[in-house]
Amino acid sequence: MKKEIVTRFPPSPTGYLHVGGARTALFNWLYARRSGGRFVLRIEDTDLKRSTRESVDAIFEAMAWLGIDWDEGPYFQSERFDIYKEYVATLVASGHAYHCDCPPEKVEEMRQKGLAAGGKAKYDGTCREKGLPGGEGTAIRFKAPLTGTTVIEDRVKGNIVFQNADLDDFVIARSDGTPTYNFVVVVDDITMGINTIIRGDDHVSNTPKQILLYKALGAELPVFAHVPMVLGKDKTRLSKRHGAMSVTEYKRMGFLPDAFINYLVRLGWSYGDQEFFTRNELVEKFNLENIGKSAGVFDPEKLTALNADHIKAAPPERLIPHLMPFLQEKGVQADDAAYLVKVIQTLNARSKTLVEMAESALFYYQDAIAYDEAALKKTFTPDAAAPMRQLIHELEALEDFSEKALEGAFLKVMELTGLKLGKIAQPVRVALTGRTASPGIFEIIEILGKEAVLKRLDAAVRIIEGKK
Ligand code: GLU
């Protein structure tokens, strides 16, 4: 039987979930979902000073928005100190770790000496064979091999070989008893049954130490896949200069979670030259083989274009829960779902973000139209009044507001006034929407319905005739 794949996402809660972190979460989630495996969430909050509850909540919120759910956890490292203690004791008992009472200044001296001699900054092994009993003020160091090599068999980068002579006896528990980063990660990954670790390649330098710990603990090594960092357009590491870093910021800017994850995945994984993926397609197709060797470049414009594609492709009903908060923010309740679906159908091919869509939808819900000043000046000219009055007359007589009937009404006005459709429609468009650009005029009239349309045309005629 094939082993169940177990992946994890272990964010440090020292800020919001950023773009790079979200991509890591996504890769691990997709890989677990793809294989019917498990995805574990672990909060790495051992740095008690920098970790905050707000950050934890921000991470949860971002993951909920992205639709990345977990099967196990969240575990909090801060609640696992007893487990770490046990594992430290195991390593000491098996001779893989030892107590060290060298004062920090002395260790620093050794490190400087190592550097000065043209080598690495290393602990020199003073206490390695002393067999100190431990107690107050002693740190615990891992007894690392002095010769040979440690190899990461990386699924993205191939074999990465480290000389053990370059590593030192690193601390696994500080003199105050707190365990160190690489150690807790390994204990967690072993005890949580994690067998596949996909993470940013900024962690490559930690991995040999972690591999040595796995070996010392007699545990099977997980599969490692180190993914190149995400860069900005100028090829430097992604930072605030390149645009928003926080995932929830993209939620606020009106991106669809499916578009966002589609874009995130493509920043490090490819499937031929396909750019557009639904969530299900990603779950079906994601693999480690197609993770790229070069860094992905984050391009907000490409993300926006992809967002437009996803808005267009999504069934209108599915957009409702995403669009609703943006409408509400503008004071629109939009309780009538059937009406809103029709509204969306006129806007989904012309909105790059949900913010834009909400903005464009406003006129459907306004009693008093907010006219764009320039549009009003340009189209509400004195000669626009007569055809508009004529149109009101024709529309009043209509029983149904189907596209065909509306076309008939406009044709009639064209005939009677000798004007072209555009000349009649443009002031009407401004009368109904307040703007010169909008969805198709017949669509709008049909959706707004007779009462609202007549009211708006009437108001427009009054403005044109200066009756206000
Ligand atoms: N907590 C680490 C981070 O946020 C991740 C550790 C790991 O993936 O092993 O970068």
Side-chain angles (χ1 to χ4, degrees):
M1 207 180 82
K2 253 183 107 184
K3 215 168 55 177
E4 180 189 35
I5 285 175
V6 187
T7 65
R8 46 50 153 201
F9 177 52
S12 308
T14 54
Y16 47 70
L17 180 63
H18 56 79
V19 171
R23 186 189 59 165
T24 302
L26 184 61
F27 279 12
N28 283 285
W29 179 79
L30 284 172
Y31 196 56
R33 290 288 167 270
R34 151 108 205 240
S35 59
R38 259 185 309 134
F39 175 66
V40 179
L41 179 63
R42 175 171 82 226
I43 305 295
E44 304 211 319
D45 58 348
T46 46
D47 185 344
L48 296 173
K49 272 198 231 95
R50 292 179 60 224
S51 303
T52 64
R53 183 68 220 183
E54 292 79 68
S55 300
V56 173
D57 290 339
I59 291 166
F60 289 169
E61 188 199 343
M63 290 180 76
W65 178 65
L66 292 170
I68 299 181
D69 54 351
W70 51 92
D71 307 301
E72 225 180 275
Y75 294 108
F76 288 84
Q77 286 186 328
S78 58
E79 292 167 4
R80 296 170 56 82
F81 281 103
D82 288 347
I83 302 173
Y84 307 138
K85 255 198 191 117
E86 239 174 74
Y87 274 79
V88 171
T90 308
L91 284 181
V92 173
S94 64
H96 284 103
Y98 60 90
H99 291 274
C100 165
D101 62 2
C102 296
E105 314 80 64
K106 234 185 114 195
V107 175
E108 190 45 40
E109 249 170 56
M110 295 172 198
R111 293 167 57 84
Q112 291 307 329
K113 235 187 189 162
L115 281 179
K120 303 263 165 175
K122 287 170 52 170
Y123 173 69
D124 72 359
T126 299
C127 298
R128 189 174 161 108
E129 305 301 341
K130 277 191 187 161
L132 293 177
E136 281 290 298
T138 64
I140 297 173
R141 290 184 179 276
F142 180 68
K143 203 176 210 173
L146 301 172
T147 56
T149 57
T150 297
V151 182
I152 313 176
E153 293 177 19
D154 195 88
R155 291 290 291 273
V156 175
K157 297 178 181 291
N159 284 1
I160 311 173
V161 181
F162 294 84
Q163 298 299 324
N164 289 337
D166 288 341
L167 306 171
D168 71 351
D169 287 355
F170 54 92
V171 172
I172 58 172
R174 301 181 189 90
S175 53
D176 65 3
T178 57
T180 55
Y181 171 72
N182 282 304
F183 179 71
V184 297
V185 166
V186 170
V187 172
D188 283 343
D189 285 335
I190 291 173
T191 50
M192 294 171 193
I194 309 297
N195 55 29
T196 310
I197 294 178
I198 308 169
R199 63 186 171 200
D201 65 4
D202 49 337
H203 285 286
V204 164
S205 60
N206 290 323
T207 309
K209 292 181 193 165
Q210 296 182 4
I211 289 178
L212 291 173
L213 288 168
Y214 274 94
K215 289 185 174 160
L217 289 165
E220 203 177 313
L221 284 180
V223 166
F224 288 105
H226 287 98
V227 184
M229 295 281 94
V230 180
L231 303 180
K233 265 169 118 175
D234 56 1
K235 300 289 164 71
T236 62
R237 197 170 162 171
L238 193 65
S239 74
K240 278 215 176 94
R241 286 179 297 117
H242 302 107
M245 289 292 285
S246 160
V247 167
T248 31
E249 197 59 32
Y250 288 90
K251 175 184 178 184
R252 279 192 280 278
M253 288 191 278
F255 287 87
L256 276 179
D258 283 18
F260 196 72
I261 66 163
N262 183 169
Y263 189 67
L264 279 184
V265 169
R266 292 283 298 105
L267 286 177
W269 178 85
S270 60
Y271 193 82
D273 50 17
Q274 186 174 341
E275 294 283 354
F276 184 100
F277 295 85
T278 62
R279 184 177 292 262
N280 285 341
E281 262 179 298
L282 289 176
V283 169
E284 245 166 60
K285 292 179 171 158
F286 184 80
N287 58 7
L288 301 184
E289 289 71 35
N290 290 6
I291 293 178
K293 280 193 171 45
S294 51
V297 173
F298 186 79
D299 180 346
E301 280 158 34
K302 275 196 182 161
L303 166 62
T304 306
L306 195 57
N307 197 48
D309 290 344
H310 275 268
I311 288 178
K312 201 152 115 189
E317 308 75 47
R318 288 219 8 233
L319 290 180
I320 290 181
H322 298 288
L323 179 64
M324 212 55 144
F326 294 102
L327 288 172
Q328 280 162 356
E329 213 171 86
K330 294 180 186 300
V332 172
Q333 276 313 320
D335 295 326
D336 183 343
Y339 185 79
L340 183 52
V341 164
K342 283 194 227 156
V343 167
I344 292 174
Q345 275 163 344
T346 68
L347 298 172
N348 59 2
R350 36 190 307 133
S351 310
K352 290 206 252 340
T353 68
L354 296 168
V355 169
E356 233 180 78
M357 186 182 264
E359 178 70 26
S360 310
L362 276 186
F363 76 84
Y364 283 111
Y365 294 95
Q366 278 165 337
D367 269 337
I369 290 298
Y371 302 102
D372 172 69
E373 226 12 82
L376 193 131
K377 246 194 161 148
K378 189 161 159 229
T379 60
F380 281 17
T381 47
D383 59 345
M388 207 177 284
R389 277 193 179 288
Q390 192 61 45
L391 184 68
I392 293 174
H393 183 71
E394 297 303 328
L395 294 179
E396 268 172 347
L398 281 189
E399 286 290 321
D400 83 297
F401 257 24
S402 68
E403 194 163 331
K404 214 169 160 291
L406 292 172
E407 222 181 285
F410 272 83
L411 275 174
K412 192 84 180 283
V413 180
M414 286 163 71
E415 247 172 56
L416 289 169
T417 59
L419 293 170
K420 291 208 174 102
L421 179 64
K423 193 78 189 143
I424 304 166
Q426 212 44 5
V428 170
R429 189 187 299 280
V430 176
L432 298 179
T433 70
R435 304 178 182 193
T436 47
S438 79
I441 194 83
F442 298 145
E443 281 178 292
I444 297 173
I445 295 178
E446 197 179 337
I447 291 172
L448 283 172
K450 195 166 180 170
E451 197 190 320
V453 168
L454 291 177
K455 212 171 127 198
R456 290 179 193 198
L457 291 179
D458 202 51
V461 169
R462 281 166 178 278
I463 292 173
I464 295 171
E465 293 179 344
K467 286 195 224 132
K468 262 211 165 167

